[in-house]
Amino acid sequence: MDDLGAMNYSLTLLEQEECESVCARFLIDDFSTVPAAQLAQMRREGLLDEENRPRLMREKHVQYLRKGLAGLSGGFVALDASRPWLVYWIIHALDLLEALDDDAEIKQRCISTLRACRAEGAFGGGPRQLAHLAPTYAATLALCCIGSNEAFETIDRPALYQFLLSMKDASNGFRMHDDGEVDVRGTYTAIAVAALTNVLTPQLVEGVAEYAASCQTYEGGFGGEPGVEAHGGYGFCAIATLCILDACHLVDLDALDAWVARRQTSIEGGYQGRANKLVDACYSFWQGGTAQLSAHARRGDPHHIEAPQGVRWRPGTTSADVPAATPIQEIVDPIKLQRYILLCAQVFPDGGLRDKPGKGRDYYHTCYALSGLSASQHPDCTAPATVSGSPANLLPRTHPAFNCRPEKVSRMLDHFSGLPDL
Amino acid sequence: MASFAAAFADVAPIEQDDGPAPVCAIAYAPEYARLMGFFRAILESNERSPRVLELTAALAEHNAAHYTVWHVRRECLWALASNDASILTDELRYSAEVARENPKNYQIWYHRRALVEKIGQAAAADELALISTALRDDAKNYHAWSNRLWVLKTYGGWAGELEFCTALLDADVYNNSAWNHLYQVKAQLGCDPVEEVRSTLERLNHARENESAWVYALAFAKSDERAAAALLAHCEGAEGVRSQMALVELLKTSDPGRASTIARRLAELDATRARYWRRRAEGLGNGT
């Protein structure tokens, strides 16, 4: 950006320039130019492999994630109404790092903690808290990651359905909780939970896709409510809802693609959440997932009976056959994004991932940076994976609409589609 | 804290039950744990009283994202306000303070919305003023902008918004939130699309690659032929990458061949989006 030369003061430009120059210091092209002692440390701590290729510091991330399960300091009180979120962020990240399935004890303890958060057939942010759609979504996804019958049986399906219905607003949006805000997060969390538990009834979904579609703005992305600025997090919620409900024809996918492609930053390589905002690793998934969902919709996947292998949108679709479809045409640069995640978002040498250099690690960013890494490695289940840096960085796939591993999503859909209609 | 112990001496606190061997257990500060013990008891008794109001304020100070605490606080407010309406005006003052301290918190902004809704039109002007203050600290605060749009849609007051947007864009012409708001205001008040393109191009003079301004201008060009012609005239021969991107949009129907050629060139100029531009070029035909 050369606009600063005009001497027009702009906080946006100043912050952007600063961010670009900081990130550029981390985005090293040729590690052989790094001083030997520093290089040795990078290899010793696992940031580089033996060929000096950027490496996902798996061991360090797993260690950090397990520490969170073991217990959190008093400073986490601000997340005391987000306990199911903490569980989901951590165990989904562990699942992507292939460090969850063999840990029967942790899975058991997660079920028990989530059970303690149950409220009104749904889940609250902690024990004895009001039922709320966001922790309900997080708890459902966490149970999906665990994937056992015992986990699924934690859900009281008829009561959950009544809760979801009771959150539906006259606008056809969903309220986050009784006496809570209505926005497209409410829509997505309610519809994703309903899809996974097989309660997507006509009554529940009537008018819902239209509400989500009404959040698309002149920019091409979606805001949290009609007319509000296009934003990556809300945009994901809108397009994922529309994919699950098979209603992408209601929106302008060309405009959405143009918007999401513009969200990848040129120097840093990661995504920003909104136009003229700074890069943030969490959007690796929110924007990357949006691009992927849009590509599926364009290819017609949600409109076909067969979703691509392993990617199922909702009960009743089968994953037996991969339709002879054209490969997904990517619109973003997966290598640039992966380099941002590996070199700017990984916290060296301690592990965990962060928003951007200068910020601290946290479980939210660790979850969504890894989810975004997985999504960008697997743009399409029919094409070979794209992996930047060490080949050992390859993660298993994550479902673009639910953000759990697709085989886990299938297992949950199979369980609940085997139950009688309500 | 001692005062809470005394005030709730008649209440048996309920401890938190996380179940056996919980994960992600938080090592609560003793004071928060004690206050939560009373709060859980109140959730059982449904007491709605001034002391519960104070308890919720104390808990929100520890954790402003505790939506159950805010819910109980509102229940108290509505119950107590039926005898004393000044409770709600006090609450406007108190919650404004909390919003200043927690500008990115969902719960406090929803609390403001619920409060304004309860009071009605009389609170609308104050709410716009509070939002203006929040936007002075962070001109892109998403909650503040969302609430602003809600106030305007619910209670009116659009007339002053043009000046508000202009001031914010003068301060930072790259503020996309302000551009979005301007678009909503123009849609509400009505405008001449040609004039919108003209004034946007003026702003682009000193910010040639400003995506926010280009996307705004293109939105008017999309719906109005004269606006499209005005923007096209500017783009022909203009420097910079964004003008080329705009040309792809402006020419895609009238001259797809040329639009395709430009898209193909953009695959090199805007290399991060090379895949996107190649797809656009293909979609528009072969070009020249």
Side-chain angles (χ1 to χ4, degrees), chain A residues 308-422:
Chain A
Q309 190 168 38
V311 179
R312 296 175 56 175
W313 305 101
R314 57 183 180 277
T317 56
T318 64
S319 56
D321 306 300
V322 181
T326 48
I328 274 185
Q329 286 187 298
E330 278 187 280
I331 53 173
V332 291
D333 186 333
I335 298 295
K336 262 192 164 174
L337 174 67
Q338 291 177 33
R339 279 177 55 79
Y340 178 78
I341 296 169
L342 294 170
L343 296 173
C344 293
Q346 288 200 104
V347 176
F348 177 80
D350 294 337
L353 292 100
R354 62 186 168 195
D355 162 350
K356 61 172 74 61
K359 302 268 184 169
R361 63 183 177 177
D362 61 56
Y363 295 110
Y364 167 82
H365 284 91
T366 301
C367 170
Y368 289 105
L370 290 174
S371 303
L373 181 61
S374 161
S376 84
Q377 289 173 342
H378 305 277
D380 185 355
C381 53
T382 57
T386 308
V387 180
S388 173
S390 167
N393 294 344
L394 182 66
L395 296 176
R397 289 198 298 129
T398 192
H399 190 298
F402 300 108
N403 200 18
C404 289
R405 293 174 61 172
E407 63 273 24
K408 302 284 181 82
V409 173
S410 289
R411 201 180 296 168
M412 193 165 199
L413 290 174
D414 285 342
H415 175 88
F416 284 100
S417 58
L419 299 180
D421 286 345
L422 290 174

Side-chain angles (χ1 to χ4, degrees), chain A residues 95-274:
Chain A
D95 206 13
L96 288 176
L97 294 165
E98 296 176 270
L100 177 67
D101 281 339
D102 294 336
D103 199 337
E105 188 219 329
I106 279 298
K107 286 191 284 189
Q108 192 56 47
R109 291 172 56 197
C110 288
I111 293 174
S112 144
T113 301
L114 294 170
R115 196 175 276 150
C117 298
R118 282 189 298 190
E120 300 160 56
F123 294 84
R128 290 180 184 260
Q129 294 182 27
L130 213 57
H132 186 302
L133 277 172
T136 299
Y137 165 83
T140 304
L141 262 54
L143 294 167
C144 182
C145 293
I146 294 166
S148 62
N149 282 348
E150 190 191 351
F152 301 148
E153 282 156 13
T154 304
I155 293 171
D156 177 350
R157 185 162 160 267
L160 174 64
Y161 176 61
Q162 287 308 318
F163 171 74
L164 296 176
L165 267 186
S166 71
M167 289 302 107
K168 198 170 172 189
D169 180 66
S171 64
N172 287 324
F174 284 82
R175 230 163 248 294
M176 296 306 289
H177 57 92
D178 176 23
D179 168 40
E181 66 273 21
V182 178
D183 60 40
V184 79
R185 279 177 316 145
T187 300
Y188 167 62
T189 50
I191 293 303
V193 167
L196 287 168
T197 57
N198 189 24
V199 294
L200 275 178
T201 65
Q203 193 187 354
L204 190 73
V205 306
E206 195 194 344
V208 171
E210 286 76 8
Y211 176 87
S214 74
C215 296
Q216 189 169 32
T217 81
Y218 73 94
E219 290 186 73
F222 295 78
E225 299 169 68
V228 182
E229 185 185 5
H231 180 291
Y234 294 107
F236 173 84
C237 290
I239 195 69
T241 299
L242 290 161
C243 280
I244 294 168
L245 297 179
D246 194 1
C248 290
H249 60 279
L250 295 177
V251 297
D252 184 345
L253 287 179
D254 289 343
L256 176 64
D257 280 357
W259 180 83
V260 80
R262 291 197 303 267
R263 299 287 65 78
Q264 188 169 21
T265 55
S266 298
I267 307 286
E268 311 88 303
Y271 288 101
Q272 60 191 184
R274 306 181 243 162

Side-chain angles (χ1 to χ4, degrees), chain B residues 82-286:
Chain B
S82 53
N83 295 323
D84 176 8
S86 74
I87 293 253
L88 297 183
T89 37
D90 289 350
E91 186 68 6
L92 279 175
R93 255 192 310 276
Y94 160 76
S95 58
E97 193 52 45
V98 181
R100 256 192 293 280
E101 286 162 13
N102 303 277
K104 293 196 169 176
N105 171 292
Y106 278 98
Q107 284 69 34
I108 187 60
W109 286 102
Y110 173 70
H111 188 69
R112 288 293 301 188
R113 222 187 257 209
L115 195 58
V116 171
E117 210 160 39
K118 199 76 179 175
I119 297 170
Q121 185 76 45
D126 273 4
E127 189 60 10
L128 288 181
L130 172 82
I131 292 166
S132 300
T133 310
L135 293 175
R136 257 198 295 281
D137 294 339
D138 173 6
K140 301 174 182 179
N141 181 323
Y142 202 80
H143 300 290
W145 282 111
S146 305
N147 265 25
R148 191 168 193 96
L149 200 56
W150 172 78
V151 171
L152 294 166
K153 282 180 174 176
T154 312
Y155 301 105
W158 293 92
E161 293 303 285
L162 280 181
E163 203 183 327
F164 181 73
C165 290
T166 304
L168 279 168
L169 290 176
D170 286 346
D172 184 351
V173 73
Y174 292 85
N175 181 348
N176 194 62
S177 308
W179 283 101
N180 180 76
H181 195 69
L182 181 64
Y183 186 87
Q184 305 305 325
V185 174
K186 295 284 182 177
Q188 178 66 31
L189 297 177
C191 63
D192 173 8
V194 178
E195 174 53 25
E196 290 313 304
V197 167
R198 192 201 61 76
S199 57
T200 304
L201 288 174
E202 211 164 87
R203 288 211 182 265
L204 278 168
N205 272 336
H206 300 291
R208 202 181 67 193
E209 299 296 318
N210 183 357
E211 176 190 341
S212 302
W214 278 107
V215 169
Y216 181 88
L218 278 166
F220 289 97
K222 194 174 170 186
S223 59
D224 185 278
E225 279 183 21
R226 291 172 315 126
L231 192 56
L232 182 61
H234 170 84
C235 290
E236 296 284 11
E239 290 178 21
V241 178
R242 300 262 177 213
S243 65
Q244 300 300 299
M245 296 179 182
L247 277 174
V248 175
E249 296 309 317
L250 294 166
L251 296 170
K252 66 184 177 191
T253 317
S254 61
D255 190 350
R258 198 175 147 217
S260 178
T261 305
I262 297 169
R264 210 168 291 284
R265 194 159 61 230
L266 279 165
E268 281 154 37
L269 292 173
D270 183 27
T272 304
R273 273 155 287 280
R275 290 170 176 77
Y276 172 75
W277 291 117
R278 280 199 294 270
R279 189 179 90 182
R280 287 301 302 270
E282 280 163 31
L284 289 161
N286 289 326

Side-chain angles (χ1 to χ4, degrees), chain A residues 280-307:
Chain A
D280 178 340
C282 75
Y283 294 112
S284 306
F285 180 74
W286 301 126
Q287 304 286 25
T290 294
Q292 217 169 79
L293 288 168
S294 170
H296 278 295
R298 273 177 179 281
R299 196 166 65 170
D301 295 337
H303 297 275
H304 288 201
I305 298 166
E306 293 90 6

